[in-house]
Amino acid sequence: MSMDIEQATRIYELCNELQIERHKAACSELKALFIKVRELEKIVSDFADDRLVQLVLYVLRKYRFKCSVNLLSFNHQELLCALKDFSRHSKLLKSVFPASKQCLVDIEATIEGMTKIEVNPLFEKVLEIARMNAKQRIGMVLKDGSTTHATRNLLDDYGLHNIELVSPYQLAGPNFFDRIIVLGSSSLFPEHIFNSPRSRYIDLVEYEWLSGELIAGSLFARTYVVPVAQQLNKQLN
């Protein structure tokens, strides 16, 4: 019981001093993929129940999602596995629904361009944060748990041993850090990460067009939010 009281007291103190900084990453290729997938959805909307249409959209949405919440390069096998059988299904969809052909060609070209990007833009932001706070114990929250092992290897390759990978639910327990990095839009994560914080400093690393609404510190106290760029293209949320 004394530990519970201790933890609640510490959380209350962190809320009073909480600082959340948004770090906006840009990637024209990934943004184009979001736009093109939305365009394809409209083109095939009259055939939304078709199995082939569903397969192609599922694969594209999965790859798009994994690219938007991971540090791995877009050509990493952990991300490319989401595109399994896409080429075959895309070729078939072009023949069955000719109206989708040009959009699918554009999507394929966009993905090819993405795979040529050497360093994930989100990783570049995390590198900056980690190197500026090299002596701190940092917890980083991943939305995509399937890439935890590959992400750990990436961090180790860059000597970022002070970053510990944690799940959102680990931050509901007695796990406190000097700093927490949240990878992806705030809307993807449970509210307790922001309104019941386990660190005085939270860095929210996200793509500029995928920002979620942030309501922080509401359980206990006020919070100080530091925006570093403007939210863009809300229609893509």
Side-chain angles (χ1 to χ4, degrees):
M1 175 65 88
S2 60
M3 181 59 186
D4 291 338
I5 296 173
E6 231 177 87
Q7 184 177 332
T9 301
R10 187 171 181 184
I11 293 171
Y12 178 84
E13 292 171 348
L14 290 173
C15 274
N16 277 317
E17 302 172 351
L18 178 61
Q19 295 187 39
I20 300 177
E21 185 169 354
R22 289 184 184 270
H23 303 263
K24 307 281 191 169
C27 180
S28 59
E29 294 85 354
L30 180 56
K31 183 177 177 181
L33 181 62
F34 271 77
I35 294 171
K36 283 297 178 182
V37 172
R38 180 64 60 86
E39 182 181 325
L40 181 62
E41 289 170 342
K42 292 178 180 178
I43 291 172
V44 299
S45 60
D46 290 339
F47 309 97
D49 294 332
D50 183 86
R51 179 60 177 164
L52 180 59
V53 169
Q54 291 176 346
L55 279 172
V56 170
L57 289 178
Y58 171 78
V59 166
L60 288 173
R61 288 164 180 162
K62 185 176 181 181
Y63 178 68
R64 180 183 68 178
F65 170 75
K66 292 177 79 69
C67 289
S68 68
V69 298
N70 276 291
L71 298 182
L72 305 174
S73 61
F74 300 138
N75 62 2
H76 193 286
Q77 190 56 41
E78 289 284 350
L79 303 189
L80 289 178
C81 67
L83 290 173
K84 182 181 178 181
D85 296 328
F86 170 67
S87 294
R88 179 166 59 87
H89 291 146
S90 176
K91 184 177 181 180
L92 186 55
L93 187 60
K94 290 173 191 172
S95 63
V96 176
F97 299 105
S100 69
K101 183 176 180 178
Q102 187 56 53
C103 187
L104 285 166
V105 168
D106 293 343
I107 287 173
E108 290 164 357
T110 299
I111 292 174
E112 183 179 356
M114 288 173 59
T115 60
K116 294 178 181 179
I117 298 174
E118 294 185 4
V119 181
N120 186 314
L122 292 183
F123 186 49
E124 290 180 332
K125 295 293 182 183
V126 169
L127 271 176
E128 293 175 10
I129 296 167
R131 287 171 174 170
M132 288 178 62
N133 303 280
K135 294 183 179 181
Q136 292 185 342
R137 178 173 175 252
I138 301 174
M140 187 163 72
V141 194
L142 293 180
K143 180 64 180 178
D144 184 5
S146 69
T147 62
T148 298
H149 181 70
T151 302
R152 179 70 269 164
N153 289 338
L154 175 64
L155 295 174
D156 290 343
D157 287 345
Y158 280 78
L160 303 179
H161 307 298
N162 61 319
I163 296 182
E164 179 180 338
L165 298 178
V166 295
S167 71
Y169 300 100
Q170 284 178 279
L171 295 181
N175 296 295
F176 292 89
F177 296 89
D178 298 321
R179 180 176 296 273
I180 289 173
I181 297 175
V182 178
L183 198 63
S185 171
S186 60
S187 62
L188 298 173
F189 296 92
E191 291 183 359
H192 72 259
I193 291 176
F194 306 101
N195 60 27
S196 182
R198 266 49 177 183
S199 176
R200 181 174 289 108
Y201 304 103
I202 296 179
D203 292 286
L204 184 56
V205 181
E206 58 195 347
Y207 284 106
E208 57 189 4
W209 69 93
L210 295 175
S211 298
E213 183 180 0
L214 186 60
I215 303 174
S218 58
L219 283 186
F220 294 102
R222 62 181 174 81
T223 181
Y224 176 49
V225 180
V226 186
V228 296
Q230 294 182 345
Q231 179 176 337
L232 300 178
N233 297 323
K234 291 184 179 180
Q235 69 272 17
L236 293 178
N237 288 346

